[in-house]
Amino acid sequence: MSFICSVGLGIPSNELSQPSVKNLVREIFTYSERLLPVFDHAMIDKRQFVVGEDWFKEKHSFQEKNDLYHRHAINYSLQAMDACLANKEFLKQDIPYEAIDLIIFVSSTGIATPSLDTYLMNERPFREDIARMPLWGLGCAGGAIGLSRAFDWLTAHPDKTVLIITCELCSLTFQKDDNKKSNLIGTALFGDGVGAALLVGENSTYLSYVKKVKPQIINTSSVTMKNSNSVMGWDITNDGLEVVFSKSIPALVQTFWKKHIETFLQDNNINRSEIYSFIAHPGGKKVLEAMEDVLQVPQEKFKHSYRVLRKHGNMSSATVFYILHEWLKEGVPEKEKSILSALGPGFSSELLILEWSER
């Protein structure tokens, strides 16, 4: 068993309202007028970016974008890590960096070898014998999958601790000369964000550092649809990472995801009416609405998914950490259950059962 004890965020400093982004796109893409209503219907008020508005008006090389990714990813990951391990709202006392036994770094919006977790290790007093698990290419599902892999590792090492960082700087993948509809839709949805989560095993001495009722991961499930590589992901071009984003995703919620969630609940002897909340990655408004339709549950159970989408947009893998942060702040009664879910490239679905515990 493993417990999610704290979450910290690294929120970029450049904020643009959705109307501002819409006007920017109108200026950059002369063909865009008939597609601009997507900005109005996305249920997004504002987003945060690591670059300013003028950056999007110029063309940038893959190297320039990736250099910016490298620098900003380190900066905002450190902010999220520090906020997580010293979060007075969730912890009675700070968790020292020396206490971390495994660091998982999740990202899909830039590349680095050695992986960026090694750069983070140089900036904070991690032990040299720390285990490392960089995860790349999981897209929007990356945060949920990172939690699942931490759960697996802590089940094998119940006295250990794990720090997960989800870092997505989607703005730096923007392609000024990509006139495909998927690029414009991505521009209407995606923002930048970094999250960090602390997980500890059931025998860890650091479990006593936790202040509030916290979610315990009970079980996880992964499903990947074969021959679905074209649903979402990146095409790698000379200009960088070019978004692949299929309009079929909400429909796949009604088929592929529906089968997964129904099987998962049945296998764990849980009725959907028993679920207190859904920590659901909001791929977009239509994805959330499709999930509600599948489950036939009140929108209130998805409230923080909608709120994070409205305040930050879709931040790929980091988004579920922002939503988890909101549920932790609000507090969930002991013994209630939540489902954490995310969809990603593959096409894949990740589900976790969380039970809130005072232990």
Side-chain angles (χ1 to χ4, degrees):
M1 298 295 178
S2 55
F3 295 85
I4 305 171
C5 298
S6 182
V7 174
L9 306 178
I11 302 175
S13 56
N14 296 293
E15 184 168 279
L16 288 177
S17 68
Q18 188 76 333
S20 296
V21 179
K22 179 181 176 181
N23 290 333
L24 182 62
V25 166
R26 179 185 279 118
E27 179 181 344
I28 294 172
F29 298 119
T30 55
Y31 72 93
S32 65
E33 198 64 37
R34 66 181 179 85
L35 297 175
L36 286 177
V38 72
F39 286 84
D40 304 319
H41 301 150
M43 203 177 282
I44 295 170
D45 291 339
K46 58 186 178 180
R47 285 173 280 163
Q48 297 78 40
F49 305 104
V50 296
V51 290
E53 184 173 351
D54 289 341
W55 186 87
F56 296 98
K57 299 177 184 179
E58 304 294 333
K59 186 172 180 178
H60 306 278
S61 69
F62 193 2
Q63 180 179 350
E64 182 183 354
K65 294 174 184 177
N66 205 65
D67 286 347
L68 285 170
Y69 166 83
H70 196 284
R71 185 171 82 244
H72 289 300
I74 292 171
N75 178 35
Y76 287 108
S77 293
L78 292 171
Q79 287 187 25
M81 288 160 44
D82 291 345
C84 176
L85 297 184
N87 195 320
K88 296 295 188 285
E89 193 165 9
F90 307 139
L91 301 170
K92 297 174 185 174
Q93 59 188 99
D94 295 357
I95 304 289
Y97 276 95
E98 293 86 349
I100 304 303
D101 300 297
L102 169 67
I103 183 170
I104 300 176
F105 187 85
V106 181
S107 188
S108 297
T109 47
I111 56 175
T113 303
S115 51
L116 283 183
D117 47 282
T118 62
Y119 292 86
L120 300 176
M121 286 175 60
N122 292 334
E123 298 294 330
R124 296 293 183 268
F126 291 100
R127 304 193 318 268
E128 288 188 349
D129 66 346
I130 190 172
R132 296 166 44 224
M133 190 187 297
L135 301 176
W136 196 89
L138 299 172
C140 293
I145 293 173
L147 290 167
S148 292
R149 298 294 75 80
F151 167 76
D152 294 340
W153 196 81
L154 287 169
T155 300
H157 306 281
D159 60 336
K160 302 294 187 182
T161 64
V162 178
L163 183 64
I164 309 174
I165 300 96
T166 53
C167 175
E168 303 292 6
L169 309 184
C170 303
S171 65
L172 299 179
T173 69
F174 177 73
Q175 302 227 15
K176 184 175 180 292
D177 295 332
D178 178 8
N179 292 324
K180 288 190 282 298
K181 183 179 178 180
S182 59
N183 186 39
L184 187 139
I185 292 174
T187 306
L189 291 176
F190 288 103
D192 298 347
V194 183
L198 171 72
L199 283 79
V200 306
E202 59 183 337
N203 296 335
S204 170
T205 57
Y206 293 100
L207 198 53
S208 63
Y209 283 43
V210 186
K211 185 183 295 186
K212 302 177 70 171
V213 172
K214 57 206 165 293
Q216 180 181 11
I217 302 175
I218 302 299
N219 205 355
T220 74
S221 177
S222 306
V223 176
T224 301
M225 178 188 294
K226 291 187 177 182
N227 303 311
S228 61
N229 302 80
S230 61
V231 173
M232 64 168 70
W234 300 122
D235 283 334
I236 310 301
T237 74
N238 289 333
D239 293 321
L241 305 173
E242 186 176 290
V243 68
V244 176
F245 200 66
S246 171
K247 66 180 181 181
S248 68
I249 296 170
L252 287 170
V253 173
Q254 298 280 359
T255 54
F256 173 71
W257 187 80
K258 179 179 180 180
K259 181 180 178 182
H260 188 199
I261 186 73
E262 288 180 346
T263 301
F264 186 53
L265 292 176
Q266 183 178 356
D267 289 348
N268 289 277
N269 298 312
I270 297 174
N271 189 291
R272 68 186 66 181
S273 63
E274 299 176 53
I275 305 303
Y276 182 89
S277 66
F278 290 88
I279 305 166
H281 186 295
K285 181 189 73 167
K286 290 183 178 180
V287 170
L288 287 177
E289 290 174 343
M291 288 179 172
E292 287 174 45
D293 187 54
V294 164
L295 294 165
Q296 292 295 295
V297 296
Q299 188 179 100
E300 179 72 8
K301 293 191 175 186
F302 288 84
K303 64 182 180 181
H304 288 307
S305 295
Y306 280 103
R307 287 174 185 170
V308 167
L309 180 65
R310 190 177 293 280
K311 291 170 60 178
H312 304 285
N314 181 341
M315 300 164 286
S316 193
S317 70
T319 315
V320 288
F321 281 25
Y322 278 59
I323 299 164
L324 184 58
H325 184 262
E326 293 303 309
W327 282 110
L328 279 165
K329 283 201 305 180
E330 178 178 319
V332 174
E334 189 180 16
K335 296 186 179 178
E336 293 287 1
K337 293 182 177 65
S338 298
I339 294 289
L340 190 147
S341 71
L343 298 167
F347 180 66
S348 62
S349 170
E350 192 75 16
L351 295 171
L352 296 87
I353 297 174
L354 310 180
E355 183 172 304
W356 295 77
S357 170
E358 260 194 33
R359 186 193 160 197

